[in-house]
Amino acid sequence: MPKLLGISGSLRKASTNTKLVHEAARAFAPSDWTLADIRFELFDADIEAERGIPPAVQKFASDIREADAVVISTPEYNKSLPGGLKNALDWLSRADMGALNGKPVAIVSAAAGRAGGERAQFSLRHCLTAFMPRVLPGPEVMIAASGSAFDENGRLVDQKSFEFLTKLMDGLKAEIARK
């Protein structure tokens, strides 16, 4: 059974991006899937020098290394990816720069705006370049007006959106098979 790691770039409890990661896992099923925790202190080389790589960051790197594929859902904050997600990537670069190398990665987004996180996806793709993952080009999944895009059970309301998500997750499974 493939191992899928989900990463939500939003840290809030009622995050639509976390809901979207759960929906991605449902579309990817069957799998052994885990939701990563990226609530790390801000990257600071002094912290690393004094205390080493924090255990939570080491676990994050290990979870990525052990996964067969990764799906990242990012909100859009001020036309870019959120600081918490960028911070997680900064720490990952110190803990295990090779963890994502060659790893199949799907990017999705949910945002309040009408573009659904398009610019955040672009920013995230750029930030991932140094890690050399195999980022799927599409289909692009961008959930606009995300506050009303999910039902009370966290399921996507729009069937077409779930179909695009399923196609993307099928592509992720195909990338695992190619390895």
Side-chain angles (χ1 to χ4, degrees):
M1 186 170 302
K3 287 186 174 187
L4 177 67
L5 180 67
I7 301 171
S8 174
S10 177
L11 304 179
R12 65 187 187 89
K13 291 177 188 171
S15 165
T16 56
N17 281 277
T18 302
K19 290 176 185 178
L20 187 54
V21 168
H22 281 271
E23 283 290 81
R26 182 168 73 96
F28 189 86
S31 69
D32 175 11
W33 96 276
T34 303
L35 181 62
D37 181 3
I38 63 167
R39 289 180 178 271
F40 310 139
E41 60 191 317
L42 289 176
F43 174 75
D44 180 337
D46 290 340
I47 292 170
E48 181 184 1
E50 292 167 13
R51 294 183 264 156
I53 304 293
V57 173
Q58 292 177 24
K59 180 179 183 333
F60 178 60
S62 176
D63 287 348
I64 291 172
R65 177 87 49 196
E66 292 173 8
D68 295 308
V70 176
V71 58
I72 304 172
S73 187
T74 181
E76 186 168 302
Y77 294 174
N78 301 309
K79 304 185 187 302
S80 190
L81 74 158
L85 181 54
K86 176 64 167 75
N87 186 57
L89 294 174
D90 290 342
W91 271 116
L92 179 63
S93 75
R94 304 301 297 161
D96 187 352
M97 189 65 184
L100 281 168
N101 190 342
K103 184 92 49 188
V105 173
I107 296 173
V108 297
S109 57
R114 67 179 182 267
E118 181 176 31
R119 288 168 278 196
Q121 283 199 22
F122 180 80
S123 297
L124 179 56
R125 286 175 190 278
H126 178 74
C127 289
L128 288 172
T129 302
F131 295 94
M132 298 190 303
R134 294 187 345 243
V135 179
L136 274 66
E140 293 178 313
V141 176
M142 297 172 220
I143 308 301
S146 64
S148 60
F150 298 87
D151 68 17
E152 63 278 352
N153 298 313
R155 300 283 171 97
L156 279 166
V157 174
D158 180 53
Q159 189 56 38
K160 271 287 188 212
S161 293
F162 191 75
E163 287 173 19
F164 279 118
L165 183 60
T166 300
K167 285 180 186 175
L168 183 62
M169 292 300 98
D170 288 346
L172 200 57
K173 286 189 261 189
E175 284 298 309
I176 292 171
R178 288 182 44 192
K179 201 168 185 182

